[in-house]
Amino acid sequence: MGPTQSPPNSFPNYDLEAALMDLHGLPVAGVDEAGRGPWAGPVVTAAVVLNPDRIPDGLDDSKKLTPEAREDRYAEIMATACVSVVIGQVARIDRDNILQATLWAMRTAFRNLEVPQAAALIDGNAVPKRFPGQARAVIGGDGLSVSIAAASIVAKVTRDRIMVRLSKRYRGYGWENNKGYGTPEHASGIEKHGICPHHRRSFAPIQRVLARQNEGALPGR
């Protein structure tokens, strides 16, 4: 059987959760991340166990929702579900690489859930190695599973709030708008202000800037 994918114009539902609950007899957490691609800031992972009797309306892939809708859904999720959030800081990303930092955050978020035991639906094409529980990977899971959609919303809202706070301390990069992604505004800010402690030095665009700076600092230049 090929990987599960969401058909066009569909909305997430609770079918995958129900099937996994029938299989393992455990509550089911959705697990997703936000922030693998940006040049700056942390990667954030959330694990969410929804209350089947109090699933918020309008859950969907966080990228399909407006910021206002995400904030509304976030408040409902936090009020009705069991939620665990883990932040993978830039130091870990640069030390381990972004993939390993994300997988660590997924394992930790699931492990930190305040439920005795659970199974997991994980957005992506593979279950992280050494995952601490029964799990299934779901490609495009935030468009299929309401639990993964909820996790995507919590992770996205949490990370966006972090980047807006950082933008007030590190001005000139436009993080309040681009959230650390590699936009022209962000690139222009780097050219003007250089690299700050929250830039991911292991990422190629940042490495190129640092290399140019080092070349300019060489004697005789």
Side-chain angles (χ1 to χ4, degrees), residues 5 13 37 71 79 84 86 115 120 162 167 170-171 181 187 189 202-203:
Q5 296 186 2
N13 57 49
E71 288 284 349
S84 170
V86 169
V115 293
I162 291 170
S167 74
Y170 297 91
R171 299 182 183 276
Y181 282 86
S202 56
F203 275 40

Side-chain angles (χ1 to χ4, degrees), residues 10 28 30 39 47-48 70-71 81 84 86 95 124 132 136 144 160 169 178 187 195-196 204-205 211:
S10 67
V28 174
W39 295 352
V48 176
R70 284 197 296 266
E71 288 284 349
S84 170
V86 169
R95 185 191 70 193
R136 175 184 174 186
L144 283 168
D160 283 358
R169 181 177 178 186
N178 60 54
I195 301 299
C196 84

Side-chain angles (χ1 to χ4, degrees), residues 45-203:
T45 294
V48 176
V49 179
L50 293 171
N51 179 341
D53 298 321
R54 299 184 66 189
I55 297 175
D57 292 332
L59 295 181
D60 203 349
D61 176 356
S62 63
K63 298 183 290 297
K64 297 179 181 179
L65 301 175
T66 65
E68 294 77 15
R70 284 197 296 266
E71 288 284 349
D72 288 344
R73 304 300 183 277
Y74 173 90
E76 289 189 58
I77 294 163
M78 299 303 291
T80 60
C82 178
V83 178
S84 170
V85 177
V86 169
I87 297 169
Q89 299 289 0
V90 168
R92 180 179 290 274
I93 293 170
D94 286 343
R95 185 191 70 193
D96 297 341
N97 73 46
I98 184 60
L99 174 60
Q100 293 306 317
T102 302
L103 297 179
W104 165 83
M106 285 182 167
R107 290 190 294 264
T108 306
F110 180 80
R111 189 180 294 115
N112 289 351
L113 281 167
E114 294 183 357
V115 293
Q117 283 186 301
L121 293 168
I122 301 172
D123 187 49
N125 59 7
V127 175
K129 292 181 179 178
R130 305 184 306 281
F131 194 80
Q134 300 289 339
R136 175 184 174 186
V138 185
I139 296 173
D142 43 12
L144 283 168
S145 156
V146 284
S147 298
I148 297 178
S152 79
I153 292 166
V154 171
K156 172 68 173 167
V157 170
T158 301
R159 188 179 188 281
D160 283 358
R161 290 178 177 180
I162 291 170
M163 296 310 296
V164 169
R165 287 199 299 270
L166 287 175
S167 74
K168 297 175 182 177
R169 181 177 178 186
Y170 297 91
R171 299 182 183 276
Y173 300 112
W175 289 348
E176 67 276 15
N177 300 315
N178 60 54
K179 307 304 188 290
Y181 282 86
T183 64
E185 179 185 29
H186 192 175
S188 175
I190 290 173
E191 291 298 323
K192 291 179 182 177
H193 305 290
I195 301 299
C196 84
H198 293 278
H199 280 107
R200 300 175 180 180
R201 285 163 169 73
S202 56
F203 275 40

Side-chain angles (χ1 to χ4, degrees), residues 19-39:
L20 205 59
M21 289 171 69
D22 287 344
L23 181 63
H24 298 295
L26 298 170
V28 174
V31 181
D32 203 1
E33 53 75 26
R36 283 185 62 171
W39 295 352

